[in-house]
Amino acid sequence: LGDVYKRQTLDRIYTEDKTALQKDRYSKAAAEFEKLFKTAPERFFSAPGRTEVGGNHTDHNHGRVLAAGVSLDVIAAVVPSCDGIIEVKSEGFPADTVDISDLKVHDKEKNSSASLIRGVAAGFARNGHKIGGFKAYTTSNVLKGSGLSSSAAFEVLIGTILSGLYNEHSVSAVEIAQISQYAENVFFGKPSGLMDQMASSVGGFITIDFADPSKPVIDSIAFDFAKSGHYLCIVDTKGNHADLTPEYAAVPSEMKKIANHFGKDFLRELSKEDIMQNIAALREKYGDRAVLRALHFMDDNERVIKEANSLKNGSFDDFLKLVKESGRSSYMYLQNVYASSAPDEQGLSTALYIAEQVLDGEGAFRVHGGGFAGTIQCYIPSELLADYKKTIEAVFGENSCSVLNIRPVGGYEIK
């Protein structure tokens, strides 16, 4: 790709109306860096958060997803060092110091940002790329707990820095994403798919086909969301995620039971007709919910293709209809809008109802990410934004509605 391609201006990354704010943000990061390390930063890097757009709970059964990088990001002021030490101070957190002469998994580091730094460096070395030390100060506006994946943005940021400082930006966005997933799975100790890291690293709208997870097929979609007349809103319903692990785990488990019935490991290996022609036996053996979740997978997996084609063709109205279809399928068939173990807590359902009332047929809305608690995603026409934000925040609190745009690029160095 080369250095020229992998360096972008603030206007390109944030759009011109946000550039003044971002200049101030980068200046403050540079000042904090100088205060910490007693020298001025030499280079700046950025990696965005991400949003799932289509394909709800499809990736774990080797399905397709549509995702996008968003206008919130984590940025770093950086100076390379020749001591083999990576030192990262993130705003609001203690500094992490990692000696990259030791790239083994440290059990005591698991679930920490230091483990992600060491893991990304190890992934680079494992793949034959150069690594080296650096000092960095990072600051992030990617909302934690919002389904925008702040951890993936941090991993991609570290990978983008190593690619830029020591590999002349020759490590592809796809490989940086794969290395980031490796760091999260092996060093951090959290099993995760590849969607979060890929959307952050590549940026813009992308489809990812996980038919072969070791070789995911990525397709970037050239669609200028800024010209759509809509804003992307993520609403945090402040739901309690405690004790919901069994709810999340049941989704892939039930889907795979249906696949196993046919001697397959994943639903992607089946057709919808396989399920429909055997639906009576499947219901009797596995229960209705497992069957409905499998049927949701089949429909949402195909819906990703339709959504992508709508964007490619510039048919944004068709895209919005498909987003609403996906949301309805998640609610009715996937059944991840509220937890069956906690029926009194239905913040997502309430937020979706409010969106439907305010939008009155315009825009679109759906559950965002894993579901059960957390966030919804809405596409709000610009003329309805003020009314929608006021109405939804009266219920879920001030700043519960984050107004975003789709970021056209992923992990980059800033000129």
Side-chain angles (χ1 to χ4, degrees), residues 134-363:
F134 61 84
K135 299 181 187 299
Y137 173 80
T138 79
T139 180
S140 175
N141 58 15
V142 182
L143 307 169
K144 294 187 180 299
S146 63
L148 299 176
S149 199
S150 56
S151 61
F154 181 79
E155 296 153 13
V156 168
L157 180 73
I158 299 300
T160 304
I161 293 170
L162 287 173
S163 179
L165 295 184
Y166 296 107
N167 297 274
E168 299 181 327
H169 286 300
S170 63
V171 186
S172 73
V174 170
E175 189 177 0
I176 288 173
Q178 291 168 328
I179 289 170
S180 298
Q181 183 199 24
Y182 165 76
E184 186 159 320
N185 291 354
V186 177
F187 284 74
F188 188 84
K190 177 185 175 184
S192 70
L194 189 58
M195 178 180 71
D196 295 352
Q197 292 86 355
M198 198 69 76
S200 176
S201 190
V202 176
F205 283 102
I206 61 169
T207 57
I208 312 171
D209 190 331
F210 291 108
D212 179 357
S214 67
K215 297 178 182 176
V217 178
I218 317 299
D219 184 19
S220 292
I221 301 168
F223 179 83
D224 190 350
F225 181 77
K227 295 180 180 177
S228 70
H230 289 71
Y231 287 93
L232 171 66
C233 291
I234 301 295
V235 177
D236 183 1
T237 65
K238 313 292 174 66
N240 183 0
H241 288 265
D243 300 323
L244 291 179
T245 300
E247 297 278 359
Y248 291 113
V251 176
S253 174
E254 290 178 9
M255 288 183 177
K256 287 173 183 176
K257 284 179 182 177
I258 303 299
N260 294 161
H261 178 86
F262 295 92
K264 306 296 183 182
D265 293 324
F266 302 98
L267 285 177
R268 184 63 183 275
E269 301 171 85
L270 305 181
S271 69
K272 184 176 178 178
E273 288 68 30
D274 290 329
I275 298 172
M276 293 301 294
Q277 289 171 7
N278 295 275
I279 195 166
L282 293 170
R283 289 182 62 219
E284 183 176 351
K285 189 169 183 179
Y286 305 105
D288 285 319
R289 191 173 72 171
V291 175
L292 291 169
R293 284 176 164 171
L295 290 170
H296 161 83
F297 171 92
M298 294 299 171
D299 289 343
D300 230 33
N301 193 48
E302 292 302 313
R303 196 174 285 117
V304 166
I305 299 175
K306 297 175 184 176
E307 288 174 329
N309 287 337
S310 294
L311 292 173
K312 289 176 182 178
N313 297 331
S315 304
F316 195 66
D317 286 344
D318 290 340
F319 167 76
L320 293 175
K321 289 176 185 175
L322 290 163
V323 169
K324 284 190 276 192
E325 283 182 17
S326 176
R328 191 179 305 115
S329 180
S330 291
Y331 205 156
M332 295 174 65
Y333 308 126
L334 180 61
Q335 299 178 41
N336 70 329
V337 171
Y338 66 91
S340 58
S341 58
D344 290 343
E345 186 173 334
Q346 297 196 32
L348 295 182
S349 306
T350 303
L352 291 169
Y353 183 86
I354 292 169
E356 186 172 28
Q357 294 300 301
V358 174
L359 293 177
D360 192 25
E362 301 295 321

